[in-house]
Amino acid sequence: MEFGLTTFAEIDDPAVSPGERLRQVVEEAVLADQLGLDVYGIGEHHRPDMAVSAPEVVLATIAGRTQDIHLSSAVTVLSSADPVRAFQNFATLDLLSSGRAELMAGRGSFTESFPLFGYSLGDYDELFAEKLDLLLALREEGPTTWSGRFRAPLDGVVVHPRPEGRPLPVWVAVGGTPSSIVRAGTLGLPLALAVIGGQPAAFAPHADLYRRALEHGGHPVSTPLAVHAHGYVATDEGAARADFLPRYKATFDKLGRERGWAPMSRAQIEGLIGAEGALFFGHPERVADKIVALHGLLGVDRFEMHVSHVDHARTMHSIELFATEVAPLVRERLAAEPATV
């Protein structure tokens, strides 16, 4: 199993400027590389409380200070992007990083980018399907001829630069929409499931649907499946409750006010922390137990912990525990147990 981190470069403290937060993100990624984690992903957002609107720029900065870690968007909002430019940006990142770039495409659960770039939310699904089709066409060797509704056609165009040695890796990130899961599977693309709330067990049918779609499309059922989930690792769970949980609740309550959700209750938070919940919180052994259980439920190939909600120093310590204690524990336990999926 691979282990990685994701961030939206959240600005939880108004005293922290966007520039400072971006520099912190670079330091967090450098630490992740030094500690041997496999991937670092940065999400695209266009709002004042999240500092990254151009993940590929931040990832390029990280590329210059790291050696081994894979560098991914988490996600690129492909629906409101130009696939030609997105391909060029990530191909450039791939060349700069000696083949470590990944583009993770998503429809976007945050929709600020749609009016910003002149797109209608009424075309939400059609935009993603068409732009993913173009992005995948651009990955192929040889000239691209393509036409669609939302941008000018291409006639025999080769887009430069080109990645060296392999096609640009493209993942699809999904929040749980079955049609999106089927699309990823039938296209043979690696899938990242965002398990943000509730119970991971509820996503077992999604993992099964993905593998059936892979098989239907004639692709290997071993095509990677990742899970993205929020987490915080700490040796002192009492202090972690005081440091992390109020900010975690405040973040989701703020989003809830924007989207019409009720505030999170204490019972909901305790359910997320519990053994069957979707928040990977607490002592390294507790977090490792949940990841091992997740692997048994879904057969995941990569676990990406979303780090946020606390200050930079606490985030760095959580990353260190995740890399040096959680990941080795999970690998040891998985090596000792037969695969269940």
Side-chain angles (χ1 to χ4, degrees), residues 79-82 113-121 127 131 150-151:
S79 305
S80 58
D82 180 349
S113 64
F114 286 78
L116 188 64
F117 296 111
Y119 293 103
S120 169
L121 286 172
L127 279 164
K131 294 192 174 193
F150 299 105
R151 61 149 292 146

Side-chain angles (χ1 to χ4, degrees), residues 12-340:
D12 298 303
D13 182 349
V16 175
S17 70
E20 182 179 358
R21 184 70 191 105
L22 289 171
R23 291 186 289 274
Q24 290 174 353
V25 164
V26 173
E27 294 301 325
E28 291 162 14
V30 169
L31 178 63
D33 180 61
Q34 292 171 345
L35 296 175
L37 291 175
D38 298 295
V39 61
Y40 192 86
I42 300 177
E44 173 196 345
H45 294 89
H46 302 267
R47 35 187 302 139
D49 54 352
M50 298 177 185
V52 180
S53 61
E56 54 269 58
V57 176
V58 185
L59 292 168
T61 302
I62 294 168
R65 295 191 52 193
T66 56
Q67 297 296 320
D68 300 310
I69 197 164
H70 285 223
L71 305 170
S72 175
S73 53
V75 300
T76 295
V77 185
L78 190 61
S79 305
S80 58
D82 180 349
V84 173
R85 197 61 173 142
F87 177 86
Q88 290 178 317
N89 288 343
F90 277 87
T92 302
L93 173 64
D94 199 56
L95 296 172
L96 285 168
S97 64
S98 300
R100 292 187 282 135
E102 298 178 359
L103 193 163
M104 184 176 289
R107 295 188 302 172
S109 62
F110 291 81
T111 57
E112 292 87 355
S113 64
F114 286 78
L116 188 64
F117 296 111
Y119 293 103
S120 169
L121 286 172
D123 298 319
Y124 185 78
D125 293 318
E126 292 82 358
L127 279 164
F128 183 76
E130 178 175 302
K131 294 192 174 193
L132 181 62
D133 179 64
L134 175 53
L135 178 65
L136 297 180
L138 295 170
R139 288 202 311 170
E140 300 296 324
E141 291 299 325
T144 298
T145 297
W146 179 94
S147 63
R149 285 180 55 204
F150 299 105
R151 61 149 292 146
L154 300 176
D155 185 10
V157 172
V158 178
V159 173
H160 298 282
R162 310 296 302 177
E164 296 173 349
R166 82 224 192 298
L168 178 70
V170 174
W171 288 63
V172 171
V174 174
T177 305
S179 60
S180 297
I181 293 168
V182 170
R183 177 190 293 124
T186 54
L187 291 172
L189 298 175
L191 177 71
L193 282 172
V195 180
I196 306 302
Q199 297 182 340
F203 288 80
H206 296 80
D208 178 65
L209 177 63
Y210 173 60
R211 293 189 174 100
R212 286 190 284 118
L214 285 167
E215 191 172 24
H216 178 76
H219 307 290
V221 294
S222 59
T223 301
L225 172 66
V227 160
H228 160 100
H230 285 250
Y232 182 65
V233 189
T235 52
D236 184 337
E237 290 196 4
R241 281 176 169 268
D243 295 336
F244 178 84
L245 293 182
R247 293 192 181 191
Y248 175 80
K249 173 177 164 55
T251 296
F252 280 91
D253 285 353
K254 178 182 178 181
L255 295 176
R257 289 191 295 272
E258 295 176 6
R259 301 184 183 194
W261 306 336
M264 295 183 75
S265 68
R266 174 62 65 88
Q268 285 176 306
I269 293 174
E270 293 299 326
L272 289 169
I273 290 172
E276 297 181 352
L279 179 57
F280 290 73
F281 168 89
H283 193 277
E285 288 193 4
R286 179 199 289 259
V287 175
D289 287 343
K290 291 184 78 166
I291 296 174
V292 170
L294 178 74
H295 183 270
L297 287 167
L298 306 183
V300 294
D301 304 284
R302 176 187 288 182
F303 178 79
E304 299 174 344
M305 186 177 75
H306 188 85
V307 290
S308 59
H309 312 300
V310 294
D311 63 32
H312 177 56
R314 290 182 174 88
T315 297
M316 294 284 273
H317 185 53
S318 179
I319 291 170
E320 182 177 2
L321 291 172
F322 180 66
T324 63
E325 298 195 27
V326 174
L329 274 172
V330 174
R331 290 190 175 110
E332 178 183 340
R333 293 177 188 178
L334 291 181
E337 297 177 3
T340 57

